[in-house]
Amino acid sequence: MDVRGIVAILFGQKIDYDILDDTIFEFNVGKATRCAITHPSIHFFNQLPLLVVIQALASALLAFPLYKLNVQPTKKKIVWSTAFTFLIALPSACYEPIYIIRLFEIHHIGLRMVLMTFPLVGGLRVLESYFGFTPDIPAKNFTNYLAYFSCPFIVKFDDDKQEPKRVSIEYFRQQFQIVGTYFIYTGLLMSLLWHYDWQLFELQSSVDSFDHSLSELMSWKNLLNNYFVALILSLGLKQSTAGVSLLYSLAFGYETQDVVLSPLTKSQSVSEFWGRQWNVAVHKGLKNGVYKPTRYMTNSNVMGIFAAFVISGVMHEYVNLVIFSRTGIEFKWNYILFFGYNACLLFAEHMFRSLEIVQGIVSKLPKPLITALVLCSALPFAHLFTGDWIVHGYFDAVMYAEPTILCRSL
């Protein structure tokens, strides 16, 4: 059998059937409700590993010229470096998922999202290599850089040996435990929210609109709706990044770092939420590829932060346009507005956190309350991030990768 035949078998089955048509067990609850326990789609997990390997190999193809032109030279050839970075490397990173989607006719939104690791993480690493902010250990030699650049998230390095850390039995045990635990958490929360169309409480305005009044934005219903969707996104991101990283480790033999920690339970500031808790891989890419170069060129910390959040917004708009291309989504500035608002929160934090009165108040508050206040500063506008994902079916698609308990009226 040739390659085309294998691809046809793997990607010929489209994951677009009614999830309740594929169940493990069904049972009645009273006379009016029938429930079912669903299982993750076999076709989803058949296709996922191949896409992870394709992403790693696509990254590896860019790693060698980037290392030779941008990372290794003590004196770069600016013309060649600039031409390759902005005319070949960045366009390739952005177009690669579109090409793969068309080549394999990938319809499933969750699988399309897996392909976004290359333009998001890889694209930012292209920029950091051009501006000279590649971390020291990956820049030490090509073997290190290849492992660093080809990893969809963050490969772990041994500080003493100055090389990628090899996997161990204990590492696999921990990773399988993380994936399994969050597999259950995500499935249970999805089982609840699915029955309410992902919004527990009804509001007058559509979840993806700009029509919310100030009172509606600040209402407890809006805050709780946004919190639960953010929670399911956080749990799902934790599970998916750990799962994809595990596949990378199985394929290439290197350990990876956790990408999502505990943003909704342990963040003690806005900067900690975005910098050390939520998607650390994208944060490091934005820091090295956007923030540091902008701060260096403008000599302004404020401009560096502003540029990082604007680029983050543009990147997320691009992701939406690609993964939801079959649903008729349009560019609406949602993410740029959301990340612009969070940049303002970060500016305010930097301005006021050093004040003695602020430090005095914060020192007396319990940590869970500080976390709640941090979340409440962003939750009124969180629907700008999650609204399109609800309306255009991201969470409905992800359910094909989760075990769920779903009920319908008879």
Side-chain angles (χ1 to χ4, degrees), residues 63-255:
F64 181 75
L66 284 172
Y67 184 77
K68 289 297 183 180
L69 289 172
N70 292 355
V71 179
Q72 186 183 41
T74 55
K75 186 177 181 180
K76 290 195 295 187
K77 297 179 179 179
I78 298 299
V79 174
W80 287 104
S81 175
T82 302
F84 181 80
T85 298
F86 294 101
L87 297 182
I88 298 178
L90 280 178
S92 298
C94 292
Y95 184 71
E96 183 264 355
I98 299 173
Y99 176 77
I100 297 299
I101 287 169
R102 292 175 178 174
L103 179 65
F104 296 149
E105 296 182 358
I106 298 173
H107 297 169
H108 191 267
I109 294 171
L111 291 175
R112 289 184 170 203
M113 189 65 189
V114 172
L115 294 172
M116 292 297 104
T117 57
F118 187 29
L120 288 180
V121 180
L124 291 170
R125 287 173 182 166
V126 169
L127 288 176
E128 74 177 17
S129 73
Y130 177 78
F131 290 110
F133 291 104
T134 299
D136 291 339
I137 298 180
K140 181 181 178 181
N141 56 56
F142 178 67
T143 301
N144 285 5
Y145 190 71
L146 180 62
Y148 170 74
F149 196 86
S150 63
C151 181
F153 297 110
I154 305 175
V155 70
K156 189 179 293 184
F157 286 93
D158 188 312
D159 291 333
D160 295 328
K161 296 181 179 180
Q162 300 278 291
E163 62 184 25
K165 192 171 183 179
R166 290 288 178 178
V167 294
S168 64
I169 298 298
E170 177 61 20
Y171 165 78
F172 280 125
R173 186 194 67 78
Q174 292 176 354
Q175 292 303 105
F176 276 111
Q177 183 178 359
I178 291 172
V179 173
T181 301
Y182 282 87
F183 203 57
I184 296 171
Y185 289 163
T186 307
L188 289 175
L189 188 55
M190 281 192 156
S191 299
L192 170 65
L193 294 185
W194 179 82
H195 295 90
Y196 297 92
D197 291 328
W198 312 105
Q199 296 282 278
L200 283 175
F201 307 102
E202 186 175 351
L203 297 173
Q204 292 182 350
S205 303
S206 173
V207 68
D208 64 334
S209 75
F210 296 94
D211 300 330
H212 294 70
S213 65
L214 181 60
S215 60
E216 194 172 41
L217 287 173
M218 302 306 298
S219 68
W220 63 270
K221 289 183 178 180
N222 184 56
L223 295 179
L224 285 178
N225 280 346
N226 288 346
Y227 174 79
F228 279 110
V229 177
L231 179 59
I232 202 170
L233 189 59
S234 175
L235 294 176
L237 189 60
K238 174 77 172 182
Q239 173 207 330
S240 60
T241 54
V244 170
S245 295
L246 181 57
L247 290 174
Y248 172 85
S249 297
L250 287 167
F252 299 98
Y254 298 132
E255 291 190 11

Side-chain angles (χ1 to χ4, degrees), residues 286 290 305-316 335-336 339-340 343:
L286 286 168
V290 180
I305 294 173
F306 179 75
F309 274 92
V310 169
I311 294 299
S312 181
V314 171
M315 287 166 43
H316 283 82
Y335 285 99
I336 294 176
F339 284 105

Side-chain angles (χ1 to χ4, degrees), residues 290-332:
V290 180
Y291 167 76
K292 286 182 177 180
T294 304
R295 188 185 63 178
Y296 176 79
M297 290 184 287
T298 63
N299 197 29
S300 170
N301 184 56
V302 171
M303 288 303 298
I305 294 173
F306 179 75
F309 274 92
V310 169
I311 294 299
S312 181
V314 171
M315 287 166 43
H316 283 82
E317 296 284 1
Y318 157 78
V319 168
N320 265 22
L321 292 175
V322 174
I323 67 174
F324 298 129
S325 62
R326 298 181 73 243
T327 67
I329 194 171
E330 297 178 353
F331 185 89
K332 295 191 299 186

Side-chain angles (χ1 to χ4, degrees), residues 190 198 229 232-233 386 389-390 393-400:
M190 281 192 156
W198 312 105
V229 177
I232 202 170
L233 189 59
T386 59
W389 289 33
I390 293 173
Y394 174 81
F395 296 108
D396 294 295
V398 171
M399 288 182 69
Y400 288 94

